[in-house]
Amino acid sequence: MGAGQSRQAPPTAANMVADLKPSSDAAKPKPCCVCKDEKAARDECMLFSTGDNAQKECAGLVTKYKDCMAGYGFKI
C-alpha cells in the first residue's frame, strides 16, 4: 500500500448491518409535524360531537389519523 491509501476492514455482519441502518433519526419527522389535517379533523369531531358517543361517531377519522401516522413509522 502506498502513501495516502487506507485499508478498509473486510465486510462483517456488524459493519454490513450498520450500513443498512438509517444514519440518524433526523430524517424522520416529529409526530407533531405530520398528519396535521387528519389530526385537526379528528380533534374537531371529538370535541364538537353532538352525539352521546363521540368515540363511535369519530372512529373513521381516528382510524384515518392512525393510518397516516403509521405511514410515517409512528405507532399510536
Side-chain angles (χ1 to χ4, degrees), residues 1-3 5-8:
M1 294 187 112
Q5 291 181 343
S6 63
R7 185 172 175 195
Q8 292 184 348

Side-chain angles (χ1 to χ4, degrees), residues 5 7 10 18 22 28 30 34 41 47 51 53 56 58 60 64-65 67 71-72 75:
Q5 291 181 343
R7 185 172 175 195
K28 186 176 179 180
K30 294 181 180 179
V34 297
L47 291 172
N53 191 346
K56 187 174 183 179
C58 304
K64 187 175 178 182
Y65 175 69
D67 291 344
Y72 287 96
K75 297 178 183 178

Side-chain angles (χ1 to χ4, degrees), residues 12-51:
T12 64
N15 63 17
M16 290 175 72
V17 171
D19 290 341
L20 297 175
K21 292 181 182 176
S23 59
S24 69
D25 287 334
K28 186 176 179 180
K30 294 181 180 179
C32 63
C33 300
V34 297
C35 305
K36 289 183 176 185
D37 293 337
E38 291 84 352
K39 182 178 180 180
R42 177 207 64 182
D43 291 350
E44 185 175 340
C45 182
M46 294 294 281
L47 291 172
F48 301 112
S49 173
T50 57

